[in-house]
């Protein structure tokens, strides 16, 4: 029996609020008699304009939303899976009930003149605060200048328009969610810019044992995305990377239960890139562990531990 009301907690950025509207639309289609209410939460990571590592990395975007769930002020928390730390357990008493169908996980170059990454002149100032993006740009385009930038997608686009940077690297689906996909100059191939684990996926978290909500959320889950998240989250947990660890990768669920998983670990300057990939029809979590073992066998532990938290 679907609940009469489902309260949905989310960060209060325009992108996060747009994400919640997708959840509300899909709930309304399946459970027309269930009302939904948005519970906006200002995440510490959204207020903080400094280095995220000081706050413990991505947890800065999820901690307050989780608290709203645990305090009973909301029934669901919607998270961008790429922002959910892989080296920390979920808050006790909560579970991910479902993973929604994956959107485009790739990154995009935003450039006012429409140039591609290869066409950008030397010393072009590219705004990113992602250690993953910075490491890959350093590896593939060392002549470009990486400039730290904070703020939500809209704020970063404003900084670009104010010419505080010359270009941006942002997620395709993040731009799409805020109605700015028209700003994309180039969608970056995963070989050039490998996505973060969990890219393009919304995770629906609720309280353990809240069966009416669990049941409703499970109906929004996508089986292929669930297999990809099982592999990617197992890999991330096995690597125990932290917010300053440049880790990238993606899983692709194929036919007959096969899942392909590709992953990389970089040094922050991009001079060392460890790669591993595997396809399996076994349990996707075991695939994640196997690819993690391959990266660890190639030296990933020493590389991760050498990077300051
Ligand atoms: N912390 C930023 C963030 N968290 C989730 C997304 C959107 C992409 C996604 O859901 O994977 C973004 C924007 C970006 O990386 O450009």
């Amino acid at each position: 029996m679907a609940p009469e009301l489902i309260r949905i907690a989310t960060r209060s950025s325009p992108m996060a609020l747009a994400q919640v509207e997708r959840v509300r639309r899909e709930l309304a289609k399946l459970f027309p008699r269930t009302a939904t209410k948005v519970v906006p939460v200002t995440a510490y990571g959204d207020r903080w304009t400094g280095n995220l590592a000081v706050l413990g990395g991505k947890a800065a975007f999820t901690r307050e939303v989780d608290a709203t769930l645990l305090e009973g002020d909301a029934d669901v928390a919607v998270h961008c899976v790429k922002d959910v730390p892989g080296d920390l357990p979920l808050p006790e008493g909560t579970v991910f009930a479902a993973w929604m169908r994956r959107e485009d996980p790739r990154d995009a170059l935003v450039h006012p003149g429409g140039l591609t990454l290869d066409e950008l002149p030397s010393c072009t100032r590219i705004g990113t605060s992602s250690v993953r993006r910075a490491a890959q740009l350093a590896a593939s385009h060392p002549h470009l200048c990486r400039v730290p930038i904070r703020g939500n997608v809209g704020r970063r686009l404003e900084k670009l328009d104010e010419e505080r940077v010359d270009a941006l690297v942002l997620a395709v689906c993040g731009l799409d969610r805020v109605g700015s996909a028209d700003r994309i100059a180039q969608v970056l191939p995963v070989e050039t810019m490998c996505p973060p684990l969990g890219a393009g996926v919304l995770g629906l978290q609720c309280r353990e044992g809240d069966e009416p909500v669990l049941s409703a959320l499970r109906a929004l889950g996508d089986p292929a995305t669930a297999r990809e998240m099982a592999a990617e989250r197992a890999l991330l947990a096995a690597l125990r990377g932290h917010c300053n660890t440049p880790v990238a990768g993606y899983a692709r669920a194929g036919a007959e239960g096969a899942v392909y998983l590709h992953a990389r670990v970089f040094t922050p300057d991009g001079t060392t890139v460890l790669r591993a990939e595997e396809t399996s029809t076994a349990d996707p979590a075991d695939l994640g562990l196997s690819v993690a073992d391959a990266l660890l066998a190639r030296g990933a532990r020493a590389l991760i531990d050498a990077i300051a938290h």
Side-chain angles (χ1 to χ4, degrees):
M1 176 72 175
E4 284 183 19
L5 170 67
I6 295 179
R7 299 162 300 164
I8 310 172
T10 177
R11 287 168 56 198
S12 49
S13 71
M15 183 183 76
L17 292 171
Q19 291 162 184
V20 168
E21 288 313 310
R22 173 184 168 196
V23 177
R24 299 181 79 187
R25 283 194 301 274
E26 297 203 19
L27 282 170
K29 270 191 279 187
L30 293 173
F31 308 102
R33 284 194 291 277
T34 295
T36 55
K37 176 173 181 266
V38 180
V39 181
V41 176
T42 299
Y44 199 3
D46 289 314
R47 296 193 302 269
W48 176 254
T49 57
N51 181 337
L52 273 181
V54 173
L55 297 183
K58 298 295 186 72
F61 291 110
T62 57
R63 195 178 296 120
E64 282 88 352
V65 176
D66 292 341
T68 309
L69 190 60
L70 288 165
E71 288 157 10
D73 296 329
D75 306 301
V76 184
V78 178
H79 291 299
C80 295
V81 177
K82 82 165 213 174
D83 288 337
V84 181
D87 54 343
L88 298 171
L90 276 185
E92 195 171 341
T94 71
V95 290
F96 269 117
W99 314 103
M100 297 185 75
R101 179 184 42 76
R102 182 166 227 165
E103 301 165 76
D104 192 331
R106 293 174 294 177
D107 281 338
L109 177 71
V110 177
H111 183 264
L115 297 184
T116 66
L117 199 54
D118 289 342
E119 291 168 340
L120 293 178
S122 289
C123 304
T124 297
R125 298 170 299 161
I126 298 196
T128 181
S129 279
S130 159
V131 291
R132 171 190 59 85
R133 289 170 175 155
Q136 295 184 79
L137 287 171
S140 63
H141 293 76
H143 58 288
L144 303 179
C145 182
R146 297 164 302 285
V147 176
I149 190 169
R150 289 296 323 283
N152 63 37
V153 175
R155 185 68 195 106
R156 295 185 187 204
L157 291 170
E158 285 170 4
K159 290 179 178 179
L160 176 64
D161 296 340
E162 293 159 5
E163 298 184 359
R164 293 165 65 175
V165 290
D166 304 316
L168 296 167
V169 177
L170 289 166
V172 168
C173 63
L175 287 161
D176 187 46
R177 290 168 189 162
V178 299
S180 295
D182 60 318
R183 300 292 300 267
I184 293 174
Q186 179 190 16
V187 175
L188 299 175
V190 295
E191 182 47 44
T192 307
M193 184 58 71
C194 193
L197 294 162
V201 178
L202 298 181
L204 305 181
Q205 183 186 8
C206 66
R207 288 179 296 273
E208 271 176 342
D210 189 348
E211 282 311 319
V213 170
L214 273 163
S215 171
L217 296 181
R218 286 185 185 125
L220 270 58
D222 175 70
T225 303
R227 294 207 306 273
E228 292 173 357
M229 289 303 98
E232 291 181 28
R233 302 283 300 162
L235 165 70
L236 195 57
L239 287 180
R240 296 198 318 280
H242 47 80
C243 62
N244 272 345
T245 309
V247 179
Y250 56 92
R252 284 197 181 123
E256 285 87 50
V259 177
Y260 163 79
L261 177 60
H262 175 100
R264 301 178 198 174
V265 179
F266 311 85
T267 49
D269 63 2
T271 52
T272 302
V273 184
L274 306 177
R275 285 180 171 83
E277 59 184 27
E278 203 175 314
T279 299
S280 169
T281 56
D283 180 343
D286 291 339
L287 171 62
L289 296 177
S290 177
V291 172
D293 286 346
L295 285 166
L296 293 168
R298 290 171 172 76
R301 177 53 53 220
L303 189 153
I304 293 170
D305 291 348
I307 301 172
H309 279 228

